[in-house]
Amino acid sequence: MNNSLGRHVLAEIYGCNFDILNNREEVESIMVNAALEAGAEVREVVFHKFSPQGVSGVVVISESHLAIHTWPELGYAAVDVFTCGDRVNPWDACNYLTEQFMAGHMTATEMKRGIVEDSKEAVNL
């Protein structure tokens, strides 16, 4: 039987509002709130506004991180939400972001990270 250390959701968010995706303060606030909506504990926050448009940032949480890069001119945001443990649901954060960015749709893939064997045998990489 396998257990994972975490869940990593890679989300493609399309049809987003230009003005939201191009506003560093608003993207930062939405990302922090997405982490809180998912039940995460926020530790550090770093965001950057590009010229002429676009925002990148990361919210470091006790359970791992949320990261984003936006292309406002395309109405697109690339997001990844990585959470460790069972307490935080990365899908809650992705759904919150989709709603707050006024997106047309979101597609996402979940990967299990850190697959750990239940056996006590050491794994050499």
Side-chain angles (χ1 to χ4, degrees), residues 44-110:
E44 303 274 342
V45 178
V46 177
F47 280 79
H48 177 79
K49 171 77 167 67
F50 294 95
S51 182
Q53 68 249 337
V55 174
S56 282
V58 64
V59 177
V60 177
I61 57 177
S62 295
E63 302 79 7
S64 194
H65 71 272
L66 289 77
I68 188 168
H69 187 76
T70 73
W71 285 263
E73 70 279 16
L74 302 176
Y76 169 71
V79 173
D80 74 283
V81 181
F82 182 14
T83 63
C84 296
D86 298 327
R87 197 175 60 76
V88 178
N89 184 347
W91 290 100
D92 290 344
C94 291
N95 290 331
Y96 179 84
L97 293 170
T98 302
E99 177 185 303
Q100 294 301 308
F101 293 151
M102 304 172 82
H105 68 282
M106 181 227 347
T107 61
T109 304
E110 179 177 329

